[in-house]
Amino acid sequence: MEAALARRPGAFEALVRSHEKVVWHLLLRMVPRREVAEELCQEVFLKVFQQLHRFRFESALGTWIGRIAFSVASRHLRRKQLPLVESAAVDDDDSADPFAQLADDMDLQQAFEAADDSARLAAAIERLPALQRAVVTLFHLEELPIAEIATITDMPEGTIKSHLFRARRSLRHWLQ
């Protein structure tokens, strides 16, 4: 962070590389159209670059960047009049081939079942409202604690727990 603030060559690029995964997951879950998420990801890091001098070291850098990403995605959803809490339409993305790198000794039946389970889970997550998708992603994929998710979303911890509970309940129902 200090190197990025001092505008040292490559410092901001390193900062982006270390935080792009969480930003990408968050944006893609809130705005499930890949091309829109790519544009918003660029907007997030542009804002981070422009606002570096405002980072006050009161929270983790990842939390601060996550908060910017959440704000950018929320603003996009409001601008497009897409619901944050209700389910949004999702584009199918069949670019992920679960069998792309099968080994010769791999059990195809087991791989197929695992891929099918993963596809069903991914489809169920995409059915969740944008906010619940974001919370599930941050908690289960990024393994962030509830307190950090609350900071990122600017919501009370109890509200985050409630969204996580409702998301899990919906996922359980859809996957049974």
Side-chain angles (χ1 to χ4, degrees), residues 1-17:
M1 179 60 183
E2 292 173 9
L5 280 169
R7 310 265 191 218
R8 290 192 192 121
F12 188 73
E13 182 182 346
L15 185 144
V16 169
R17 265 190 269 114

Side-chain angles (χ1 to χ4, degrees), residues 130-143:
L131 182 58
Q132 289 180 10
R133 282 194 312 263
V135 170
V136 164
T137 298
L138 292 173
F139 187 77
H140 289 289
L141 295 178
E142 296 301 324
E143 299 178 349

Side-chain angles (χ1 to χ4, degrees), residues 92-106:
D92 290 331
D93 181 14
D94 54 4
S95 62
D97 179 9
F99 302 110
Q101 298 182 8
L102 288 178
D104 289 337
D105 60 345
M106 184 173 227

Side-chain angles (χ1 to χ4, degrees), residues 4-6 11 17 19-21 29 32-34 43 49 60 65 80 88 100 103 115 132 136 141 158 164 166 176:
L5 280 169
R17 265 190 269 114
H19 295 93
E20 66 188 345
K21 183 179 173 188
R29 291 298 180 202
R33 293 191 59 217
R34 182 174 291 282
E43 184 179 333
F49 182 76
I65 293 172
K80 297 294 182 183
Q132 289 180 10
V136 164
L141 295 178
L164 194 55
R166 282 191 225 118
Q176 285 181 342

Side-chain angles (χ1 to χ4, degrees), residues 84-137:
L84 183 62
V85 183
E86 295 177 51
S87 293
V90 177
D91 287 345
D92 290 331
D93 181 14
D94 54 4
S95 62
D97 179 9
F99 302 110
Q101 298 182 8
L102 288 178
D104 289 337
D105 60 345
M106 184 173 227
D107 181 352
L108 288 177
Q109 179 67 30
Q110 185 179 15
F112 178 77
E113 289 171 2
D116 186 51
D117 289 347
S118 294
R120 287 182 59 230
L121 178 59
I125 289 172
E126 293 305 321
R127 290 177 62 186
L128 292 170
L131 182 58
Q132 289 180 10
R133 282 194 312 263
V135 170
V136 164
T137 298

Side-chain angles (χ1 to χ4, degrees), residues 42-77:
Q42 290 178 5
E43 184 179 333
V44 166
F45 285 110
L46 177 62
K47 286 189 179 301
V48 168
F49 182 76
Q50 293 169 338
Q51 302 297 321
L52 274 178
H53 65 282
R54 290 192 173 173
F55 181 65
R56 293 175 282 182
F57 298 92
E58 293 173 353
S59 64
L61 180 60
T63 302
W64 183 71
I65 293 172
R67 177 75 187 125
I68 292 172
F70 184 82
S71 296
V72 166
S74 297
R75 190 175 57 251
H76 170 79
L77 292 173

